[in-house]
Amino acid sequence: MRTNKLFLILLSALFVSCASTKFEGTAVLTGRVCDMEGKPVPNYHINAGIGLNAITDAGGVFVIRDVSAGNYFITGSGSGWCSIEQRVDFYDRKSIVCIQVESLESILPQIEGFIKEKNFSAAKKLLYKSKSRNESNAIFNCYKQLIAYCSLPSQKHEKAFLASLENF
């Protein structure tokens, strides 16, 4: 009985040490970016650190080569999409990351709700989740100017908002 107990302790220690061992060298980190319905998001920019960048293909798939074991904060952005930041613990050569992103259009009703409630800081915060790669987007700029005008009505903000409407 004592031998079985010792065997189980040794087996447990071996399991724990194997599970926490990092691979040596570098490996490939792959992932898929999709919208909230599971449809692929092409041309979405992914960054996992200096020199660790990728852009999703038509199927929403990205590949980052030469990744060492460790913890990473993956950030991403794309035109018409909200930005993301997601922690990835990369310790297995077969890691696949799944990322869901909201479209800019899908958050507009929430932004409008915040504006109606006069919660302009929440509206701005939510809109700015999509700021990266959307600063030249007509919808983004229109809502940006609308929030500015509603939070601080002035002729300057009114003109900027009206000008943003002309870009549609």
Side-chain angles (χ1 to χ4, degrees):
M1 186 72 147
R2 183 174 181 142
T3 319
N4 287 343
K5 202 175 207 180
L6 182 60
F7 176 73
L8 287 174
I9 292 170
L10 289 173
L11 189 59
S12 297
L14 179 62
F15 176 76
V16 169
S17 68
C18 288
S20 63
T21 305
K22 297 178 185 180
F23 61 85
E24 298 208 14
T26 60
V28 177
L29 175 64
T30 59
R32 182 171 187 263
V33 178
C34 60
D35 67 11
M36 301 312 277
E37 296 173 359
K39 295 177 186 167
V41 176
N43 299 315
Y44 196 81
H45 295 251
I46 298 293
N47 179 299
I50 297 172
L52 301 173
N53 304 304
I55 300 175
T56 58
D57 63 14
V61 176
F62 67 90
V63 176
I64 302 176
R65 300 187 188 291
D66 300 324
V67 181
S68 300
N71 301 319
Y72 294 88
F73 279 98
I74 291 181
T75 58
S77 60
S79 181
W81 298 96
C82 292
S83 300
I84 58 97
E85 183 175 299
Q86 180 174 323
R87 181 188 163 122
V88 174
D89 299 322
F90 188 55
Y91 293 108
D92 185 354
R93 291 182 181 270
K94 297 177 184 176
S95 290
I96 298 174
V97 179
C98 295
I99 299 170
Q100 275 192 308
V101 294
E102 292 180 283
S103 68
L104 174 59
E105 287 185 17
S106 73
I107 63 170
L108 297 180
Q110 293 172 293
I111 292 170
E112 291 167 7
F114 286 133
I115 292 171
K116 288 177 185 174
E117 295 169 0
K118 299 188 185 316
N119 189 346
F120 306 119
S121 63
K124 185 176 179 178
K125 182 178 179 181
L126 183 57
L127 179 66
Y128 275 64
K129 280 178 52 178
S130 65
K131 181 179 178 183
S132 184
R133 301 199 192 280
N134 284 308
E135 292 185 85
S136 61
N137 182 305
I139 293 171
F140 177 86
N141 281 315
C142 182
Y143 276 80
K144 177 181 163 185
Q145 298 304 329
L146 176 62
I147 293 167
Y149 175 71
C150 289
S151 62
L152 187 63
S154 68
Q155 277 191 325
K156 176 186 167 188
H157 287 135
E158 181 180 9
K159 286 181 183 180
F161 172 65
L162 294 174
S164 72
L165 289 174
E166 293 175 8
N167 292 324
F168 277 102

